[in-house]
Every structure is written in structure tokens, then in C-alpha cells.
């Protein structure tokens, strides 16, 4: 096995564990807060939202910083620091005794949540441009699998071992992944002399992003993907309850949410390969239209199983967007600023994680739950139009590409 292939599989495993850890607390976070004291239901729900969202908000700020440091000093050290940091923060959550203690740990977790973005930059830098989509699509399988099974695993562990032990077990698992990264990963820097000679200021990086309109647009699309995913998340159980009459609403809503993840798994690598062959921008435009078409019927379906079917198709569409976006950034950015650019892209995704639940809950209160899906479809149509016009104005978009 080559060094590059070994690096890819190591980071797939690490991404799986870390993605799972960021989502596993969703099923029982409010229940864990209840163990801290005798609180009202409104208090618990409010703090559950704060504690869950603050990690993504802090990560939104720090992702470009880690990318910039990685560009300058190498990505492996940053991967080690963030992995060990995640391990420690989650391990200590098992000993939390107040919402303040939990909030501080979740803020620290946000500071060190740059691992996935940096792993993309690490793999992108050592991958040939001709196969970037396929390789990055393969890497994404780890993150998608973690997000898919994280909530299910978290709920199961909590039932068997309790809330505190679940955090401790997860912290130890990530510590093992951090050791794997530390001793198994080898950084490949074929153009080391050039890397030392060329450095870019933050202003130059931002100027490059705004100069290439397509580059800026794909980052906006990254945000839209997360808004679309997370805007329906707090509503899913209620919506499933309207579509079916059963006592197993929690199980069925989990199935509906996971359907999109399974769609991701089925096609994410294939979309990356198609992007390598026909152009990432072209595939991304196709996927935006597909996403708009598949999300719209979710507002009008008469039964649960049809809803789950369209969630699966929607997952197929959005599953190809992330590797195509990452590969396009790899193509459009000079090697010495790729880490920071991918950090900005990761920041856009984290911001979508924060905006999505707030936007979805607010819209549902004013216009109804079904109209949230209509609005999401409209967002993808707008993204398609903006990307199409950006492509028109960026005929020379590969000028300044290394």
C-alpha cells in the first residue's frame, strides 16, 4: 500500500470517529442537562440549544486559522493537536456537573474542531488534480458515515452505559484515532522548497477568493447545503408525526433523517469521479438542480415512506457536492493557500449548522413546516442561477492556479 493510500484510509477512520462524536450527543443532550439539577423544561431546552450550537459557532471562527497555520507549518501537527484536543474535551464532558462546565468544554471543542477541514487540505495537497474528486469523495465517506451513525450510536451507548460513560468511551476512541494519526500518517510535501519560498497574507487569500466568483460561490453553496440539512432537523420528528400515526415517532424520524445519509454513501465517490472527468462546476450545477427537484416533493408527500424515498434521493444529490466543491478549491487555489481556503469553506459549513436550525424553526412557526422544504428547494435554484452566472464571468478562472 502506498503512503498516499495509507494516509487516506487513516484519515477516513479518524473522520468517522470525529464526525460521530460531534453528532452523537444529539439524542440525549437535554436528558444529560437534566441530571445537573432540578430545572424547568424551558431551561433545559434553551441550554441544550446553546450548548449544541456554540461548538459550531466557535469552529466557524477557528477553521480558517487552523488552515492558515497548516499552510505555513504543515498539516500533520494541526491534525494531531485537534484530534487530541477533541479527545480531551469529550472525555471531560463525562465529568460535567453544570451547564457552565459543559458550555466551556463545548467552546474548547469548537476551537479544536478543525480536524475534518484540515484532513481535506492534507489529502488535497498530496493528490493529483486529475483524481482529486474521486479521492476526496472517498475521504468524505468517513465523515458521512460518522454523521449517519453518530446519533444512533450515541443513543445506544447512553442506554447501555449511561450518559457520562458514553462521553468517556468516545473520548478514548478519539484518543486512539489521534495516536493512529500521530504514528501512521506521513506528510508528503513534494514541492517543499516552493512552499518555503511562497507565503500569502490573509488579505491575499481573501482577494483570491473574491476575484474568482465561482470560488466564492462554491463556498456559499457549502453554507446552503448545511442550512438545508439542519433547517429540517429540529422539525423532523414533528413532521413525521403528522405523516404517520404510531408510537415509534423517534425511530421513524431517525430513519427519515438517516435516509439522506445513506444517499450520500451510495454516490459521493461516484460524483467525485464524474467531476474529475467532466468538470466539478458542471457536476455541481447538475447536483443543485437535482437537490431542488428532490427536496420540493417532501413538502407535499402523503405518507412517510414516500417522504423517506425523497430524502434518500436528496441525499444522493447533496452527497456529491462536498467532494466537487473541495476538489474545485484544490484546483483553483495555489498550494500554499489551500489549507486556509478549505478552512473558510469549512467555516461556511459550520455557519450553516448554526443558521439551519434557527431558520427552520422560525420559518415553521410562521409559515408551517411543509413550507420549509419549499424554501430549501428555492435556495438550491437560486444557488444554481448564481453559479451559472459566476461561470459565465469567470472564463479565465484558472489564471493564478499552480
Amino acid at each position: 500500500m502506498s503512503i498516499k493510500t495509507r494516509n487516506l484510509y487513516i484519515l477516513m477512520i479518524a473522520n468517522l470517529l470525529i464526525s460521530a462524536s460531534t453528532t452523537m450527543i444529539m439524542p440525549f443532550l437535554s436528558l444529560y442537562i437534566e441530571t445537573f439539577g432540578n430545572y424547568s423544561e424551558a431551561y433545559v431546552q434553551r441550554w441544550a440549544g446553546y450548548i449544541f450550537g456554540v461548538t459550531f459557532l466557535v469552529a466557524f471562527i477557528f477553521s480558517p486559522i487552523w488552515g492558515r497555520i497548516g499552510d505555513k507549518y504543515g498539516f500533520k501537527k494541526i491534525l494531531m493537536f485537534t484530534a487530541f484536543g477533541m479527545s480531551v474535551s469529550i472525555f471531560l464532558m463525562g465529568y460535567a456537573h453544570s451547564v457552565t462546565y459543559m458550555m466551556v468544554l463545548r467552546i474548547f471543542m469548537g476551537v479544536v474542531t478543525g480536524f475534518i477541514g484540515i484532513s481535506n487540505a492534507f489529502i488535497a495537497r498530496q493528490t493529483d488534480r486529475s483524481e482529486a474528486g474521486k479521492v476526496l469523495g472517498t475521504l468524505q465517506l468517513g465523515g458521512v458515515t460518522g454523521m449517519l451513525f453518530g446519533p444512533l450510536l450515541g443513543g445506544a451507548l447512553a442506554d447501555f452505559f449511561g450518559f457520562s460513560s458514553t462521553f468517556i468511551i468516545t473520548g478514548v476512541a478519539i484518543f486512539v484515532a489521534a495516536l493512529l494519526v500521530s504514528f501512521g500518517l506521513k506528510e508528503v510535501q513534494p514541492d517543499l522548497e516552493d512552499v518555503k519560498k511562497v507565503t500569502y497574507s490573509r488579505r491575499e487569500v481573501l482577494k483570491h477568493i473574491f476575484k474568482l466568483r465561482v470560488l466564492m460561490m462554491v463556498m456559499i453553496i457549502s453554507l446552503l447545503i448545511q442550512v438545508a440539512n439542519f433547517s429540517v432537523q429540529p422539525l423532523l420528528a414533528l413532521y413525521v408525526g403528522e405523516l404517520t400515526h404510531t408510537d415509534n415517532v423517534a425511530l421513524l424520524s431517525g430513519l427519515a433523517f438517516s435516509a439522506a445519509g445513506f444517499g450520500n454513501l451510495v454516490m459521493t465517490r461516484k460524483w467525485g469521479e464524474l467531476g474529475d472527468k467532466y468538470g466539478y462546476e458542471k457536476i455541481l450545477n447538475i447536483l443543485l438542480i437535482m437537490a431542488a427537484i428532490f427536496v420540493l416533493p417532501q413538502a407535499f408527500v402523503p405518507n412517510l415512506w414516500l417522504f423517506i424515498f425523497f430524502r434518500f434521493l436528496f441525499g444522493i444529490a447533496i452527497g456529491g457536492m462536498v467532494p466537487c466543491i473541495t476538489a474545485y478549491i484544490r484546483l483553483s487555489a495555489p498550494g500554499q493557500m489551500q489549507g486556509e481556503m478549505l478552512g473558510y469553506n469549512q467555516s461556511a459549513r459550520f455557519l450553516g449548522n448554526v443558521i439551519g436550525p434557527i431558520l427552520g424553526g422560525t420559518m415553521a412557526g410562521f409559515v408551517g413546516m411543509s413550507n420549509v422544504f419549499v424554501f430549501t428547494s428555492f435556495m438550491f435554484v437560486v444557488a444554481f442561477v448564481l453559479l451559472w452566472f459566476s461561470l459565465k464571468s469567470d472564463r479565465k478562472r484558472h489564471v493564478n492556479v499552480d
Side-chain angles (χ1 to χ4, degrees):
M1 182 184 295
S2 69
I3 292 174
K4 293 181 180 180
T5 302
R6 185 181 65 184
N7 286 345
L8 176 61
Y9 287 124
I10 287 173
L11 288 178
M12 273 185 63
I13 294 170
N15 278 352
L16 187 155
L17 289 170
I18 288 174
S19 294
S21 73
T22 59
T23 57
M24 61 172 287
I25 67 167
M26 289 191 294
F28 63 85
L29 180 59
S30 58
L31 299 175
Y32 191 45
I33 292 173
E34 285 179 344
T35 66
F36 298 159
N38 186 21
Y39 303 123
S40 68
E41 185 177 347
Y43 179 91
V44 171
Q45 291 176 349
R46 183 169 67 251
W47 275 99
Y50 294 157
I51 289 171
F52 183 74
V54 72
T55 296
F56 296 116
L57 188 61
V58 175
F60 161 74
I61 298 169
F62 276 87
S63 286
I65 296 174
W66 291 128
R68 182 169 183 80
I69 294 172
D71 284 332
K72 191 171 183 180
Y73 299 106
F75 295 123
K76 181 178 176 178
K77 294 177 182 177
I78 307 302
L79 288 169
M80 291 168 56
F81 179 80
T82 54
F84 282 117
M86 288 274 288
S87 172
V88 170
S89 63
I90 292 174
F91 183 88
L92 292 177
M93 287 178 197
Y95 298 95
H97 51 76
S98 69
V99 290
T100 303
Y101 183 95
M102 193 72 173
M103 177 67 85
V104 170
L105 289 174
R106 290 286 292 179
I107 289 172
F108 176 69
M109 184 173 168
V111 173
V112 295
T113 304
F115 185 93
I116 292 177
I118 295 299
S119 68
N120 281 326
F122 182 98
I123 294 298
R125 177 172 285 186
Q126 68 173 31
T127 302
D128 293 336
R129 293 178 179 180
S130 61
E131 59 176 5
K134 179 183 71 175
V135 173
L136 291 166
T138 304
L139 178 64
Q140 193 199 349
L141 290 175
V144 170
T145 305
M147 291 186 68
L148 179 61
F149 292 106
L152 299 175
L153 180 61
L157 287 174
D159 284 341
F160 278 104
F161 301 106
F163 303 134
S164 295
S165 297
T166 299
F167 285 109
I168 293 170
I169 292 168
T170 305
V172 171
I174 295 178
F175 184 80
V176 172
L179 291 176
L180 187 62
V181 168
S182 300
F183 296 105
L185 210 62
K186 183 171 182 180
E187 191 150 16
V188 180
Q189 293 183 332
D191 299 317
L192 192 57
E193 293 301 318
D194 291 336
V195 171
K196 288 181 177 178
K197 279 191 265 185
V198 183
T199 57
Y200 294 92
S201 68
R202 183 172 289 105
R203 182 178 179 181
E204 288 175 315
V205 174
L206 291 172
K207 183 179 179 181
H208 190 82
I209 293 173
F210 286 106
K211 180 180 179 181
L212 294 174
R213 294 182 183 178
V214 176
L215 186 58
M216 182 171 60
M217 184 51 54
V218 296
M219 293 186 183
I220 294 173
I221 292 170
S222 288
L223 184 147
L224 291 179
I225 294 169
Q226 298 307 105
V227 170
N229 270 332
F230 280 80
S231 62
V232 300
Q233 184 176 318
L235 313 173
L236 214 54
L238 295 173
Y239 196 61
V240 168
E242 288 187 356
L243 293 173
T244 184
H245 303 287
T246 178
D247 294 331
N248 298 322
V249 173
L251 175 63
L252 292 174
S253 62
L255 180 61
F257 188 77
S258 298
F262 281 112
N264 269 237
L265 287 175
V266 169
M267 284 293 291
T268 184
R269 178 184 169 94
K270 186 62 179 179
W271 286 125
E273 290 180 1
L274 292 172
D276 292 334
K277 187 174 182 179
Y278 298 107
Y280 307 116
E281 313 95 315
K282 294 177 182 178
I283 298 301
L284 190 54
N285 254 336
I286 292 171
L287 293 172
L288 287 169
I289 289 298
M290 287 176 60
I293 292 171
F294 293 144
V295 77
L296 184 61
Q298 295 175 40
F300 308 106
V301 289
N303 61 69
L304 175 64
W305 299 111
L306 200 55
F307 178 68
I308 290 174
F309 174 70
F310 281 111
R311 290 286 298 170
F312 174 76
L313 294 179
F314 175 65
I316 287 176
I318 62 171
M321 292 183 190
V322 175
C324 284
I325 287 171
T326 307
Y328 181 81
I329 295 172
R330 161 75 176 88
L331 185 68
S332 303
Q336 293 72 48
M337 65 169 68
Q338 284 174 10
E340 186 170 355
M341 281 201 176
L342 288 168
Y344 283 119
N345 185 64
Q346 191 70 14
S347 283
R349 289 172 59 81
F350 285 133
L351 184 60
N353 293 354
V354 176
I355 294 173
I358 297 172
L359 180 63
T362 303
M363 284 191 63
F366 282 102
V367 298
M369 286 187 287
S370 61
N371 285 314
V372 176
F373 295 101
V374 176
F375 178 75
T376 301
S377 178
F378 175 73
M379 280 198 305
F380 283 117
V381 172
V382 171
F384 167 81
V385 172
L386 292 175
L387 181 58
W388 189 80
F389 278 110
S390 297
L391 286 166
K392 284 285 188 182
S393 65
D394 279 351
R395 296 290 186 184
K396 298 180 180 179
R397 60 188 178 279
H398 296 307
V399 172
N400 300 328
V401 175
D402 286 355

